[in-house]
Amino acid sequence: MLRLTAAQTNPIDYHIVYDPRPDGPLIGFYAGQPIAEAIRDFFGRRFVYDGIAPRRRDGKYDVSQLQPGEWIAEPGLVYHIESDRPARAA
């Protein structure tokens, strides 16, 4: 019988922000990369910085520790979704 583990039932791909772009001021650096106060993804949704992504002992992201509405943006930053509505063109 096939047994699924938490990593198999909750893949990291479901928790990664796709094509993040800065949408706010620079607030610091992590792993040599800038941290934006807010970002927008490929779909225009806005996310606000929450912290550093939790990791397991093997160094992979521990998505089980994310709260509802939290997403990971490389290089390992946690953002929470502020708006699921795309930005409007001006």
Side-chain angles (χ1 to χ4, degrees):
M1 178 174 204
L2 179 63
R3 183 175 179 176
L4 297 176
T5 65
Q8 292 169 317
T9 59
N10 198 2
I12 184 65
D13 293 343
Y14 294 166
H15 302 278
I16 298 288
V17 177
Y18 181 70
D19 191 27
R21 296 175 307 276
D23 190 48
L26 179 69
I27 58 173
F29 289 87
Y30 176 72
Q33 298 294 317
I35 300 171
E37 181 179 60
I39 59 175
R40 287 205 183 263
D41 71 359
F42 176 80
F43 306 102
R45 299 176 296 185
R46 190 166 196 269
F47 300 80
V48 178
Y49 178 73
D50 252 0
I52 305 301
R55 294 187 183 258
R56 302 184 317 217
R57 287 183 183 208
D58 64 5
K60 295 180 181 178
Y61 297 123
D62 187 354
V63 296
S64 69
Q65 298 300 310
L66 295 176
Q67 299 298 314
E70 287 185 335
W71 296 70
I72 297 173
E74 293 299 344
L77 306 173
V78 174
Y79 285 84
H80 68 267
I81 193 161
E82 180 181 77
S83 171
D84 58 0
R85 293 185 183 155
R88 294 176 139 199

